[in-house]
Amino acid sequence: KQTDSKMTKKIIISTLVSTLILFLWSGMTQMLPWGISSTQNINVQTMDNQKQAEAPNVQRLDKTLLVTEKFETQFNNKVSTLSTDKTFSWIVTQPIKSDYSSYFITEVLTQLFVAFFIALLLVLTIKLDNKSRIIIILIAGICATISTYGQLMNWWGLPVSYGLGVSINLLIGWTIVAFISAKFIIKN
């Protein structure tokens, strides 16, 4: 029987290794067709030097169509809905940032929490064979993707190709870290 301090060390090592893998996996998979490249980039900025203007395949619209002080005051830092005669839109709006380091820090912290909970699941299932342990992680991943992306596809109109793509990315990433941790770090 392993001591508590040894198990704690294994949880920490598994969490750190898994965080790195999940962070890299998340970044790499954003380059797939249902990732960043699937987004529509529309620019209605009055200043041409903004970072968003550098995005690929930018469609430029007349600034009077979408950008007004009223729009930015009404929608900034909120989740909103916008209805026209023919469409219904969910809008999530935030100020333009010039420093994106906070996104990377938040992404690392998000993956750290995920990695920690995967490590805990592996500890709780340590008496099972590795195949069963990985299947349990996979089932947890399926629950996470359905509860997150299923709702986003339903209520927010998230494109199905994007929702399924990122769900598959998540499931593969979780399976990879579960396999590595179960095989080499938190062994049964």
Side-chain angles (χ1 to χ4, degrees), residues 21 62 64 67 133 159 165 171 186:
I21 293 168
D62 181 345
T64 60
V67 176
R133 296 167 80 199
L171 295 173
I186 305 175

Side-chain angles (χ1 to χ4, degrees), residues 16 36 38 47 57 65 95 119 133 150-151 158 172:
L16 294 175
I36 293 169
S38 71
M47 295 181 287
N57 303 320
L65 292 177
R133 296 167 80 199
Q151 286 185 353
L158 190 73
I172 292 170

Side-chain angles (χ1 to χ4, degrees), residues 8 11-13 19 23 27 37 60 71 83 98-99 109 114 118 146 164-165 176-177 179:
T8 301
I11 291 171
I12 291 169
I13 292 168
T19 298
F23 179 77
S37 61
R60 297 192 186 279
F71 177 91
S83 299
S98 59
D99 178 15
L109 289 175
V114 170
I118 289 174
I146 291 172
L164 290 177
I176 290 169
V177 297
F179 174 79

Side-chain angles (χ1 to χ4, degrees), residues 31 41 45 65 92 94 106 125 131 138 147 156 167:
M31 301 307 153
N41 296 301
Q45 298 166 325
L65 292 177
V92 180
Q94 65 179 327
T106 303
T125 59
K131 182 179 176 183
L138 192 57
S147 66
W156 291 64
S167 294

Side-chain angles (χ1 to χ4, degrees), residues 3-188:
T3 65
D4 288 343
S5 66
K6 279 187 179 181
M7 188 53 71
T8 301
K9 287 178 188 174
K10 288 183 178 196
I11 291 171
I12 291 169
I13 292 168
S14 174
T15 299
L16 294 175
V17 168
S18 296
T19 298
L20 178 63
I21 293 168
L22 289 170
F23 179 77
L24 294 173
W25 178 257
S26 173
M28 288 180 351
T29 57
Q30 281 299 310
M31 301 307 153
L32 295 173
W34 47 83
I36 293 169
S37 61
S38 71
T39 61
Q40 175 176 258
N41 296 301
I42 298 174
N43 185 313
V44 290
Q45 298 166 325
T46 57
M47 295 181 287
D48 289 331
N49 62 351
Q50 295 290 344
K51 293 279 184 203
Q52 275 67 19
E54 298 171 10
N57 303 320
V58 173
Q59 298 175 34
R60 297 192 186 279
L61 297 179
D62 181 345
K63 65 181 177 247
T64 60
L65 292 177
L66 295 175
V67 176
T68 66
E69 284 298 319
K70 175 81 173 143
F71 177 91
E72 292 181 354
T73 302
Q74 183 71 35
F75 290 97
N76 197 23
N77 285 320
K78 297 176 185 143
V79 175
S80 309
T81 62
L82 175 65
S83 299
T84 66
D85 291 339
K86 295 183 181 181
T87 63
F88 176 82
S89 303
W90 289 94
I91 301 174
V92 180
T93 310
Q94 65 179 327
I96 293 174
K97 295 183 180 184
S98 59
D99 178 15
Y100 291 95
S101 59
S102 65
Y103 288 118
F104 291 104
I105 292 167
T106 303
E107 182 68 17
V108 168
L109 289 175
T110 300
Q111 300 303 352
L112 178 79
F113 283 116
V114 170
F116 175 72
F117 287 116
I118 289 174
L120 286 182
L121 280 173
L122 290 172
V123 169
L124 292 172
T125 59
I126 201 157
K127 293 182 180 178
L128 300 175
D129 62 283
N130 282 345
K131 182 179 176 183
S132 298
R133 296 167 80 199
I134 292 168
I135 288 172
I136 289 170
I137 302 287
L138 192 57
I139 291 170
I142 291 168
C143 289
T145 60
I146 291 172
S147 66
T148 303
Y149 295 111
Q151 286 185 353
L152 289 174
M153 286 186 283
N154 178 37
W155 292 103
W156 291 64
L158 190 73
V160 173
S161 61
Y162 182 86
L164 290 177
V166 294
S167 294
I168 291 167
N169 295 347
L170 183 142
L171 295 173
I172 292 170
W174 284 25
T175 304
I176 290 169
V177 297
F179 174 79
I180 290 170
S181 288
K183 182 92 172 152
F184 301 107
I185 304 168
I186 305 175
K187 302 176 193 175
N188 54 0

